[in-house]
Amino acid sequence: MMSMHRQHSLQEFVWQENALLDQGRFDEWYELFAPDGLYWIPGESGQQSPQGRMCIALENRMLMRLRIDRLSHHRAFSLQPGVRGLRVIQSPRLQSEQPDGQGCYTVRTNLIYSEFQKQRTEVLPATASYRLRERGQGWEIVEKRVDLLSVDGYLPTIQLFI
């Protein structure tokens, strides 16, 4: 059985990861990812794999770094005026007490993501799934998957990370 300390540590990691995004601390957020880490937003409901399928986002660390650099660039005119994001998340739930074959634990949370720019707020309900692996005294993200509730319908331009 998993210790309460480990379970709390996994949940706290997800809370902190969302807080970094809410605060626009993208460089620190980026450092939470494993060298082989992946940020993924499927393009279809129930999508099992990103391979050979349309994805809204499928970013390894190199692509995440490019997007973070663009977010802070003074000539990123699509980001003028500034964009702000905010997440309201449910208590993260551990999906298994045992790690998978790669040593990862899966944690899920439902969330409401809001993004504000140019007097307009877009609201996107979603479920975020994390595959987390121990790193030192903490955790690293091997995969963050965001399943948008309205993936099959109209989707606005999403400027920030969810």
Side-chain angles (χ1 to χ4, degrees), residues 10-73:
L10 286 159
Q11 291 172 320
E12 187 62 26
F13 181 89
V14 172
W15 287 108
Q16 293 302 318
E17 184 260 354
N18 279 273
L20 289 174
L21 288 171
D22 284 348
Q23 296 163 13
R25 295 164 54 188
F26 301 117
D27 289 321
E28 292 172 67
W29 175 78
Y30 171 83
E31 293 302 325
L32 298 178
F33 280 82
D36 58 340
L38 187 67
Y39 173 76
W40 177 35
I41 303 176
E44 302 169 346
S45 180
Q47 190 171 333
Q48 296 300 309
S49 167
Q51 304 307 317
R53 309 299 299 179
M54 195 276 293
C55 299
I56 294 167
L58 183 59
E59 300 177 12
N60 60 17
R61 280 181 56 102
M62 181 193 73
L63 291 174
M64 284 185 269
R65 179 79 259 160
L66 288 172
R67 181 147 46 137
I68 290 167
D69 290 346
R70 183 184 76 81
L71 289 172
S72 63
H73 197 278

Side-chain angles (χ1 to χ4, degrees), residues 106-159:
T106 300
V107 180
R108 284 198 178 108
T109 186
N110 291 330
L111 65 95
I112 303 293
Y113 173 68
S114 300
E115 191 171 280
F116 176 79
Q117 183 185 31
K118 298 180 185 170
Q119 303 304 313
R120 185 179 176 108
T121 302
E122 299 290 350
V123 178
L124 297 167
T127 298
S129 302
Y130 299 81
R131 291 186 60 240
L132 304 175
R133 181 171 52 210
E134 282 190 272
R135 173 172 66 184
Q137 299 295 323
W139 302 97
E140 64 184 359
I141 301 171
V142 174
E143 179 182 276
K144 179 177 181 181
R145 173 183 172 148
V146 179
D147 287 280
L148 298 171
L149 179 64
S150 57
V151 70
D152 300 321
Y154 164 78
L155 289 173
T157 300
I158 303 167
Q159 298 280 7

